[in-house]
Each structure stands twice: as C-alpha cells, then as structure tokens.
Amino acid sequence: MKLFFLAAAGGAIGAGGRYLVNVGVGRLAGVTANFPWPTFVANIAGSFLMGVMIGLLALKFSGSNELRTFVATGILGGFTTFSAFSADVVVLMERHQGGLAAVYAASSVVLAVCALLAGLAIVRQVLV
C-alpha cells in the first residue's frame, strides 16, 4: 500500500507539471494550432527525464523501490501523456488528417525513445 501512495503522490506532482506544460506550450503554439504541441512536448521531455532518472538511480544513487516508484511511476508517469497522445492521433484521423496523424505518432515515439537514450547517455557521460 505504501508504494501505491508514493505513486499517487508522485502522480499528482507529475500531473501538475503536465498541466503547466499544457498551458505554457498551448500559449506559445496557440489554441488553434493544428498539431498537438503540448502533448508532444510533454512526452518528449518526460522521456528525456526518465532517461536521466534511470541513469541517476542506476549509476549514482542506489535507488530504492520506493524512490523509483515515486519518481518513475508517479512523477514521470503523471507527467507524460500517452493516453492523451492516443486521443490526439484519433482526433487527427477523425479530421481526415491521416498523414499528420502518422507523422505525429511516428515522430512522438521515435523522438521519445531518442530523448530517453539522450538523457541516459548524458548521465553516463557525466557520472562514468
């Protein structure tokens, strides 16, 4: 039960951060933007931060299960938005923007994986 509450507390922090990204990027991109920039930015940034955290917990700190649950499952799980991502893809498809939906889906996944690898590589370079 302890891990559940740690994940929930971290999730609240992550969701709050996600909201701030949504508002900030939404203001920069504009409400009428044809591309779901807030979700895109949150997923890429969250994946990068996950790479950093994985690297830090594995190489610098002996991360406990509690810390990993709080940070990875909670904070970063609440921050990233692949459920919103899926909805965005469907909305684009329903608007008959299949090409844009495909570009959005492919670039989100590829760049998120690359961002995680970049975060992990940076931590490895600094700490090893």
Side-chain angles (χ1 to χ4, degrees):
M1 204 59 173
K2 178 182 177 183
L3 293 177
F4 170 81
F5 287 115
L6 286 170
I13 293 167
R18 170 68 178 93
Y19 172 77
L20 294 175
V21 166
N22 191 46
V23 170
V25 172
R27 285 184 184 156
L28 289 173
V31 176
T32 60
N34 288 332
F35 193 78
W37 287 110
T39 302
F40 185 79
V41 168
N43 284 336
I44 303 307
S47 294
F48 174 78
L49 291 172
M50 185 70 80
V52 169
M53 290 309 303
I54 288 170
L56 286 173
L57 292 174
L59 298 172
K60 179 69 174 172
F61 307 104
S62 51
S64 66
N65 195 32
E66 290 81 6
L67 181 60
R68 285 192 306 272
T69 298
F70 178 70
V71 174
T73 304
I75 294 173
L76 295 174
F79 182 74
T80 59
T81 55
F82 268 84
S83 58
F85 158 80
S86 299
D88 290 335
V89 170
V90 169
V91 166
L92 290 171
M93 290 170 54
E94 288 180 346
R95 290 182 183 163
H96 304 289
Q97 295 177 307
L100 188 56
V103 168
Y104 173 60
S107 62
S108 291
V109 172
V110 169
L111 290 175
V113 170
C114 289
L116 191 144
L117 289 170
L120 187 56
I122 289 169
V123 169
R124 286 180 175 156
Q125 283 292 323
V126 171
L127 296 179
V128 177

